[in-house]
């Protein structure tokens, strides 16, 4: 995105040969001069601008910018090529050697992945790793069963006297709120009163790098208490009177006043929060942080609204007597479409529920990656194109709702053991921890508990 002052910034995903074999970035290849090395790749930028590439005329105001394939000759000839050098993609460990099993929390996944090729290099030992919940890790490391892992990674200490367990710190990890939001400042020509200050207008198109959240604001996102974070128009009594999205919440606007200068349209908004499925100490730490704030606790338990009359989604208010170990999605709302299905010859009801529109991510890493990609993997409405009835027809229009501004809960990990920098599958994600009445990073020492004589 280009800012009003002509500068710009974009966060993009980089995939090496492991993640995109068809490109082969970082894979071994022989250069034209005969030297073996990692294959380089390039980032190609194709400017589009606001002028017709063939005749120079200004683009229609309703089009906003030049559209079409970047490979159109008139556009492609203006390309900017940025060479990218890649570190060699590490070879995999041998498959014919015995594996030493390890398992545990996802928070150490990237660290362990970076250690594995180094440990097995030069005929070294092979250490496997399976991502499981912290609680399952504690069960497995004390299991007497053959094949149980002798070393696990857990956010909680493993309490066991038989067999005895040894703990050692290996990483520092925290839970963060990752954001992918571009400044969307209202056009001064569309303002009937005072336009935004010049310094605010210059932000348009840049990436937002700072976002302030309180425990209660995070609770509002996690409980689908904004109508837009549920199924629009279904059972409005559940969140009647609440702001349509966090972007219109007075509490949020007080902490982030730049959003007051966004367009007035409800489509120019912030989408909900993507979270990972399953239980974890990370989820429990988030809820403990929220429940440690008296105002957030009273609000999320449905005891009182916030200062502006916003109530928690009733489907959630009875879930927080203590801190959950998961991120529940309890909103029962569903949208229903009745469509004629020719193969059955009858009308069939198709449902779109809140979980379909805002599905779980498989892990916190996936939540971070999908935030970077601005893709929720959710379904939109209408659900399906209309099939023609016998001797009649219906209009067909089906496209999931586009979401350009996303938030996701991810993890940040730092190893306490020196390690070689890994060839990452995607660029570092611009993220901001929520700040406000309390710090928003939740740190917990990770521990490893090996069984004597195993692993």
């Amino acid at each position: 995105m280009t800012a009003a002052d002509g500068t710009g910034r974009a966060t993009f995903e980089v995939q090496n040969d492991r993640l995109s074999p068809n490109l082969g970035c970082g894979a071994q290849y022989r250069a034209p001069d005969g030297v073996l090395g990692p294959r380089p790749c390039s980032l190609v930028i194709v400017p589009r601008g606001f002028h017709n590439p063939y005749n120079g005329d200004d683009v229609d105001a309703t089009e906003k910018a030049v559209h079409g394939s970047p490979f159109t000759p008139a556009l492609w000839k203006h390309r900017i090529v940025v060479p990218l050098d890649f570190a060699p993609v590490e070879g995999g460990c041998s498959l014919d050697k015995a594996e030493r099993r390890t398992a545990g929390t996802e928070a150490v996944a990237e660290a362990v992945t970076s250690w594995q090729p180094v440990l097995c290099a030069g005929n070294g030992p092979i250490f496997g790793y399976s991502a499981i919940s912290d609680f399952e890790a504690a069960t497995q490391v004390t299991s007497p069963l053959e094949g149980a892992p002798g070393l696990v990674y857990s956010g909680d200490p493993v309490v066991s006297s038989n067999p005895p367990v040894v703990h050692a710190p290996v990483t520092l990890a925290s839970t963060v709120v990752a954001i992918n939001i571009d400044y969307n400042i209202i056009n001064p020509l569309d303002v009937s009163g005072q336009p935004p200050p010049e310094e605010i207008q210059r932000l348009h198109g840049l990436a937002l790098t700072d976002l302030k959240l309180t425990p209660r604001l995070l609770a509002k996102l996690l409980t689908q208490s904004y109508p837009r974070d549920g199924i629009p128009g279904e059972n409005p009594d559940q969140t009647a009177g609440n702001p349509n999205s966090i972007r219109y919440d007075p509490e949020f606007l007080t902490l982030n006043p730049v959003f007051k200068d966004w367009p007035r349209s409800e489509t120019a908004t912030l989408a909900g929060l993507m979270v990972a499925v399953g239980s974890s100490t990370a989820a429990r730490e988030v809820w403990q942080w929220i429940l440690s704030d008296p105002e957030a606790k009273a609000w999320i338990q449905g005891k009182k609204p916030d200062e502006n009359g916003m109530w928690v989604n009733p489907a959630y208010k009875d879930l927080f007597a203590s801190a959950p170990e998961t991120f529940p999605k309890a909103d029962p709302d569903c949208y229903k479409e009745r469509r004629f299905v020719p193969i059955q010859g009858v009308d069939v009801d198709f449902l779109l529920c809140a979980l379909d529109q805002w599905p779980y991510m498989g892990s916190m890493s996936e939540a971070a990656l999908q935030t970077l990609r601005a893709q929720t993997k959710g379904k939109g409405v209408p659900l399906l194109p209309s099939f023609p009835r016998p001797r009649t027809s219906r209009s067909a229009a089906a496209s999931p709702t586009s979401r350009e501004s996303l938030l996701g809960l991810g993890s940040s990990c730092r190893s306490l053991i020196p390690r070689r920098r890994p060839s990452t599958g995607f660029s570092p994600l611009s993220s901001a921890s929520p700040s406000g009445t309390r710090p928003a990073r939740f740190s917990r020492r990770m521990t490893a508990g090996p069984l004597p004589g195993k692993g």
Side-chain angles (χ1 to χ4, degrees):
M1 296 291 288
T2 304
D5 62 359
T7 62
R9 176 183 177 184
T11 301
F12 59 93
E13 181 182 353
V14 177
Q15 294 187 340
N16 61 17
D17 179 63
R18 290 281 184 84
L19 297 174
S20 185
N22 58 312
L23 290 176
C25 304
Q28 189 180 66
Y29 95 120
R30 190 175 297 278
D33 58 5
V35 177
L36 280 175
R39 180 187 296 276
C41 286
S42 297
L43 171 68
V44 181
I45 304 163
V46 181
R48 294 172 185 263
F50 300 91
H51 305 286
N52 187 300
Y54 293 101
N55 57 26
D57 292 345
D58 291 343
V59 174
D60 189 295
T62 60
E63 293 294 322
K64 305 293 184 183
V66 174
H67 299 294
S69 170
F71 297 108
T72 301
L75 296 174
W76 182 250
K77 70 178 182 180
H78 297 296
R79 67 190 179 277
I80 303 168
V81 180
V82 182
L84 300 176
D85 291 328
F86 282 74
V89 175
E90 299 284 356
C93 297
S94 173
L95 299 178
D96 59 359
K97 294 181 62 177
E99 177 185 87
R100 305 184 183 187
R101 289 194 61 206
T102 72
T105 175
E106 182 208 346
V108 302
E110 288 199 29
V112 173
T113 302
S114 72
W115 300 334
Q116 286 172 319
V118 179
L119 291 170
C120 73
N123 204 34
I126 297 177
F127 288 89
Y129 166 74
S130 300
I132 59 176
S133 74
D134 305 77
F135 317 108
E136 177 62 21
T139 300
Q140 289 199 18
V141 78
T142 57
S143 171
L145 298 177
E146 185 68 26
L151 184 147
V152 300
Y153 309 94
S154 174
D156 281 338
V158 178
V159 180
S160 174
S161 58
N162 184 25
V165 176
V166 179
H167 294 82
V170 290
T171 66
L172 292 175
S174 61
T175 304
V176 299
V177 174
I179 61 174
N180 184 4
I181 302 171
D182 295 322
Y183 282 104
N184 185 10
I185 308 302
I186 191 170
N187 189 325
L189 300 179
D190 296 335
V191 180
S192 57
Q194 184 70 23
E198 186 67 27
E199 62 271 18
I200 298 297
Q201 295 182 39
R202 286 197 295 267
L203 295 173
H204 182 75
L206 291 178
L208 183 72
T209 58
D210 181 64
L211 193 71
K212 295 180 173 64
L213 297 176
T214 63
R216 187 167 61 188
L217 282 172
L218 188 56
K220 292 175 180 180
L221 287 168
L222 289 171
T223 56
Q224 298 175 281
S225 293
Y226 298 108
R228 189 176 179 84
D229 294 346
I231 298 297
E234 299 299 311
N235 299 329
D237 56 305
Q238 292 220 347
T239 52
N242 288 357
N244 182 259
S245 74
I246 191 172
R247 185 222 142 168
Y248 297 98
D249 190 334
E251 180 182 4
F252 177 77
L253 293 174
T254 299
L255 294 171
N256 305 276
V258 70
F259 288 92
K260 296 178 181 178
D261 294 314
W262 276 36
R264 307 295 182 255
S265 168
E266 286 193 356
T267 59
T269 188
L270 299 182
L273 189 64
M274 290 186 286
V275 296
V277 69
S279 60
S280 65
T281 57
R284 187 189 63 204
E285 292 286 340
V286 171
W287 291 118
Q288 285 178 342
W289 180 70
I290 291 173
L291 294 173
S292 67
D293 182 87
E295 291 185 348
K297 182 177 181 179
W299 182 85
I300 202 171
Q301 292 178 345
K303 296 179 179 178
K304 66 175 184 179
D306 70 3
E307 295 81 359
N308 303 289
M310 178 174 175
W311 287 91
V312 67
N313 186 332
Y316 286 85
K317 65 184 180 65
D318 297 325
L319 303 181
F320 301 103
S322 60
E325 296 170 348
T326 63
F327 295 111
K329 288 184 177 288
D331 193 316
D333 285 354
C334 291
Y335 166 84
K336 182 171 70 174
E337 283 186 10
R338 177 163 292 183
R339 295 296 181 94
F340 176 76
V341 179
I343 195 170
Q344 298 181 31
V346 296
D347 287 336
V348 176
D349 289 337
F350 294 91
L351 294 179
L352 176 76
C353 299
L355 189 57
D356 299 314
Q357 189 170 21
W358 292 100
Y360 280 112
M361 298 294 109
S363 64
M364 287 190 290
S365 296
E366 184 183 6
L369 180 59
Q370 292 306 119
T371 301
L372 176 69
R373 293 174 171 174
Q375 296 174 352
T376 67
K377 293 190 172 181
K379 300 177 182 178
V381 294
L383 298 175
L384 297 170
S386 295
F387 295 105
R389 281 181 173 276
R391 302 178 184 173
T392 63
S393 64
R394 295 183 182 178
S395 60
S399 60
T401 304
S402 172
R403 305 190 186 281
E404 298 180 351
S405 301
L406 293 177
L407 301 92
L409 274 178
S411 63
S412 173
C413 175
R414 176 173 295 176
S415 171
L416 298 183
I417 299 175
R419 60 188 176 96
R420 188 159 60 189
R421 182 170 182 157
S423 299
T424 56
F426 51 89
S427 58
L429 183 69
S430 298
S431 62
S433 58
S435 58
T437 59
R438 293 178 184 271
R441 290 183 179 269
F442 319 97
S443 298
R444 179 62 66 92
R445 175 174 290 178
M446 313 309 296
T447 61
L451 273 177
K454 294 185 67 176

